[in-house]
Amino acid sequence: MTDLTLPGLPNIHCHAFQRAMAGLAERQTDPADSFWTWRELMYRFAGRITPESQYDIACQLYAEMLESGYTGVCEFHYLHHSPDGVPYADPSAMSEAIIAAARDTGIRLSFLPVLYMCGGFDGRPLSERQRRFGHAVEDFLRLLERLRRQESDMLRVGIALHSLRAVPADALREILSAVHGQSLPIHIHIAEQVAEVEECIAVRGARPVEWLLANADVDARWTLVHATHLTVAELRSITASKAVVALCPTTEANLGDGVFPLREFLDAGGRFGIGSDSNVSVSPVEELRWLEYTQRLLARQRNIAATPSQPSVGDVLYTHALDGGRQASGFAVDAWRRDIVHLDADAAVLAGVRQEDMLDRFVFAGNRPLVREVRIGNRMVVREGRHVGAEGIAERYRRSLRTLLADG
Ligand code: NGQ
Ligand code: ZN
């Protein structure tokens, strides 16, 4: 009998609030629409999120993640203050909304408050719409302290540096020395867009990954998000550092970022995990499939992630996403062993499945949801394919969305 259980997969990059704008940025606003015009729309949307809507959106999203087989999420959280940039009476109100949503849905949370200080490589001040993201280093460390007191077997707290665009060099050093020697996850967006690489070269005299590796002790605590645009030397130095790369294939496609050099990276011994990032898709199957398919389209070949000794593409992708994802999450491997996903033995696409092709059929055989049951420790969070609290969560989400969209 084929065993149809899978270890729960970590989703290592997520901005929960963006789920509520999925499908709302697909109309042309300019013939030269790009990542940067999308970002303006996203900022406008971000400006309307309250602690209450943040909670409702995150509950719906996390319930959907569990239904699709993700059992943990790294939330890269930067909507800290009220829309005009003034901290809420409780300065961690927005963070607490995410933490509560994870607790109430039962997903494992690696919470990453984001340090966001300036509007570009030249150190320009935050724009009006970016003000709610900002912190001085000292205030950020205070928030971090407060959040870390809540850590538990289902909550890990780390830090995120938004990007080299948003964190000046001296602040980066200050933060890293404040967490020196502590074992906590450190995530950063890097080298996602070509314009970002070019600006980094112009202002700092080096490419983003090159600059980071020369100016920070990047090690296994680190997750480099996207890292799309790499030279061979940068690719090798990432693998030597033991850092994980967070690949977010559906978002990277949606935003027109570029294609990550997967084969070269795997050949060099690289570690990766997957992230749903902007949440245009909430499905590990779709992320893994896009990851492989973009490679095939570029190379005009098949089965790119596989090797003669590891011929199953699904197996290679899933195993990497699991190992890299666990590392990036900051949870001990033993904690993850409690997360079990049961696939639907009655699903037609799994008929006659053999153990050695189970992951290929999971990833490459269509779009019907195959997850039947999910357990995290003793808690059953998905039963018969549905999150146990799905109805009430969806009702609150619909109400929140109506208000949000009406305000627009
Ligand atoms: C974010 N998302 O922080 O949500 C970013 C856009 C930026 C992606 N990079 C903002 N995919 O990078 O400045
Ligand atoms: Zn991101």
Side-chain angles (χ1 to χ4, degrees):
M1 267 285 279
T2 303
D3 177 11
L4 290 180
T5 61
L6 290 175
L9 205 64
N11 177 352
I12 64 170
H13 190 65
C14 169
H15 310 288
F17 76 90
Q18 291 176 15
R19 176 59 178 164
M21 64 175 285
L24 292 175
E26 312 301 326
R27 294 177 71 87
Q28 194 177 69
T29 58
D30 182 313
D33 265 338
S34 66
F35 175 91
W36 306 101
T37 57
W38 167 83
R39 193 172 78 153
E40 284 307 313
L41 280 179
M42 185 274 280
Y43 283 171
R44 244 187 284 156
F45 193 81
R48 306 208 296 270
I49 308 287
T50 61
E52 295 71 32
S53 54
Q54 168 95 314
Y55 171 79
D56 294 339
I57 295 164
C59 282
Q60 175 67 27
L61 174 66
Y62 294 167
E64 288 179 28
M65 283 182 191
L66 289 163
E67 289 174 356
S68 72
Y70 289 124
T71 57
V73 61
C74 298
E75 180 68 32
F76 197 107
H77 169 80
Y78 60 90
L79 283 191
H80 296 298
H81 312 306
S82 65
D84 54 5
V86 179
Y88 287 103
D90 168 1
S92 57
M94 291 294 276
S95 298
E96 302 298 347
I98 294 287
I99 292 171
R103 185 192 58 224
D104 295 349
T105 53
I107 201 164
R108 189 177 291 290
L109 176 65
S110 305
F111 188 72
L112 309 167
V114 174
L115 179 64
Y116 200 120
M117 298 180 74
C118 53
F121 281 105
D122 55 4
R124 74 191 88 125
L126 299 176
S127 70
E128 204 178 306
R129 292 197 199 281
Q130 292 170 330
R131 255 176 234 144
R132 69 181 309 195
F133 316 156
H135 273 114
V137 170
E138 198 182 310
D139 299 329
F140 177 78
L141 289 172
R142 203 167 308 127
L143 171 68
L144 181 65
E145 260 326 294
R146 213 176 148 138
L147 295 167
R148 289 182 81 179
R149 284 201 287 273
Q150 302 184 44
E151 283 194 310
S152 69
D153 60 348
M154 289 296 287
L155 172 65
R156 280 285 280 144
V157 175
I159 59 170
L161 309 165
H162 182 273
S163 51
L164 295 180
R165 287 178 266 129
V167 179
D170 52 349
L172 181 115
R173 282 187 201 105
E174 205 180 328
I175 280 289
L176 294 180
S177 77
V179 300
H180 183 76
Q182 300 177 22
S183 83
L184 80 184
I186 305 173
H187 291 217
I188 185 170
H189 285 130
I190 201 149
E192 179 182 11
Q193 282 277 318
V194 171
E196 171 190 352
V197 175
E198 286 168 354
E199 205 181 336
C200 190
I201 295 171
V203 178
R204 297 202 183 167
R207 302 167 57 84
V209 169
E210 183 188 11
W211 189 91
L212 181 70
L213 285 148
N215 286 275
D217 287 325
V218 174
D219 57 22
R221 295 182 301 168
W222 285 72
T223 295
L224 310 189
V225 182
H226 308 302
T228 312
H229 301 288
L230 299 177
T231 61
V232 173
E234 286 175 313
L235 185 150
R236 295 225 174 94
S237 51
I238 294 177
T239 59
S241 75
K242 302 192 162 56
V244 171
V245 171
L247 299 173
C248 310
T250 62
T251 295
E252 288 156 9
N254 186 276
L255 298 179
D257 290 339
V259 179
F260 180 78
L262 182 69
R263 189 62 260 160
E264 294 79 353
F265 186 70
L266 293 179
D267 286 340
R271 306 171 182 202
F272 76 82
I274 54 163
S276 62
D277 191 353
S278 66
N279 298 303
V280 285
S281 169
V282 190
S283 159
V285 165
E286 202 180 4
E287 298 304 336
L288 295 174
R289 195 189 293 157
W290 266 89
L291 179 55
E292 169 69 19
Y293 280 174
T294 50
Q295 305 294 322
R296 293 188 191 185
L297 287 166
L298 276 183
R300 301 186 203 156
Q301 287 182 13
R302 300 193 67 249
N303 304 336
I304 307 291
T307 58
S309 62
Q310 292 181 296
S312 158
V313 177
D315 193 33
V316 170
L317 295 175
Y318 203 90
T319 305
H320 266 279
L322 195 62
D323 294 346
R326 287 172 170 181
Q327 177 180 321
S329 75
F331 281 99
V333 171
D334 276 347
W336 284 102
R337 294 220 171 91
R338 295 158 43 90
D339 301 8
I340 307 289
V341 174
H342 294 273
L343 300 186
D344 183 359
D346 300 328
V349 296
L350 293 177
V353 65
R354 294 173 307 166
Q355 205 66 57
E356 62 269 31
D357 58 30
M358 202 237 303
L359 283 162
D360 289 330
R361 292 178 70 169
F362 179 58
V363 176
F364 292 103
N367 300 310
R368 186 174 172 273
L370 294 176
V371 172
R372 174 172 269 177
E373 203 173 282
V374 179
R375 281 171 198 276
I376 299 187
N378 302 327
R379 187 169 173 190
M380 189 184 298
V381 288
V382 173
R383 182 182 293 133
E384 293 301 321
R386 289 279 278 166
H387 186 271
V388 292
E391 250 171 67
I393 289 170
E395 185 48 42
R396 273 203 313 276
Y397 179 73
R398 278 193 285 268
R399 216 176 317 130
S400 238
L401 255 260
R402 275 195 290 271
T403 311
L404 258 180
L405 299 179
D407 287 354

